[in-house]
Amino acid sequence: MGIQIDAVVDCPINDEMERVLALAETVGEPVTVTFMWEGRERAERAVLVPAATLALWEHWAPTAFPTNGAGEESPTAAEEPELAHPAEFGAFTLFRRRVGGRTAVARDGVVVAELLDPDEARWLREAARNVRQGFMDPKQKAAFEEFLARQASPGDQ
């Protein structure tokens, strides 16, 4: 999915975090990142999705990401949610949502990307692609039907 970057973040340096966030925004593609936050035993994988790409996916996706029976989206979401204090990294501020596990990434008060669980990002991208591929606007559909009507049947070829 997009670009694969592994960033080990024991003690985040503003410039490094800024470069990863700017990369996703510049290329307009999702960037997979692995974080090793200070004080945590397990690494956290996330997909950094530019805001415009996420808006497009959510427009075409037929429904929201399905949750498991407990109403949680991922194993990490089942843990007690931490306080949602914003974390600043250079020009960017991260706002972790207490519900859903997403983290909004803002610059100058504007959300430029979101960190999503890799499973949610994969599902959302595929759902949007499948719906979008099946959609034709009315003019395109009429032209395609006319094109098909002019084609010889398979038995005549």
Side-chain angles (χ1 to χ4, degrees), residues 60-127:
W60 288 107
T63 59
F65 181 63
T67 59
N68 65 22
E72 300 295 341
E73 296 173 355
S74 69
T76 56
E79 300 170 3
E80 184 65 28
E82 61 187 73
L83 291 177
H85 294 293
E88 294 190 19
F89 297 98
F92 297 93
T93 305
L94 280 77
F95 297 92
R96 181 176 286 267
R97 295 188 187 152
R98 297 183 80 170
V99 178
R102 287 187 180 184
T103 300
V105 181
R107 182 183 60 231
D108 297 327
V110 177
V111 174
V112 295
E114 286 203 33
L115 284 164
L116 279 67
D117 177 83
D119 292 334
E120 179 181 8
R122 185 178 312 104
W123 180 89
L124 195 54
R125 180 182 214 168
E126 290 172 3

Side-chain angles (χ1 to χ4, degrees), residues 13-68:
I13 298 172
N14 294 344
D15 291 345
E16 290 177 359
M17 195 65 170
E18 218 171 307
R19 272 187 247 132
V20 171
L21 296 169
L23 175 64
E25 186 181 21
T26 302
V27 298
E29 286 289 321
V31 177
T32 302
V33 186
T34 303
F35 295 99
M36 185 55 154
W37 297 104
E38 187 175 349
R40 293 195 185 160
E41 294 177 13
R42 291 187 330 149
E44 178 183 346
R45 290 185 56 83
V47 177
L48 186 64
V49 181
T53 302
L54 183 60
L56 183 66
W57 288 355
E58 289 179 333
H59 171 79
W60 288 107
T63 59
F65 181 63
T67 59
N68 65 22

Side-chain angles (χ1 to χ4, degrees), residues 59-60 127-142 144:
H59 171 79
W60 288 107
R129 183 194 65 227
N130 293 341
V131 169
R132 189 173 185 185
Q133 286 177 346
F135 176 78
M136 284 189 202
D137 65 45
K139 288 182 181 180
Q140 184 181 16
K141 186 174 183 177
F144 187 62

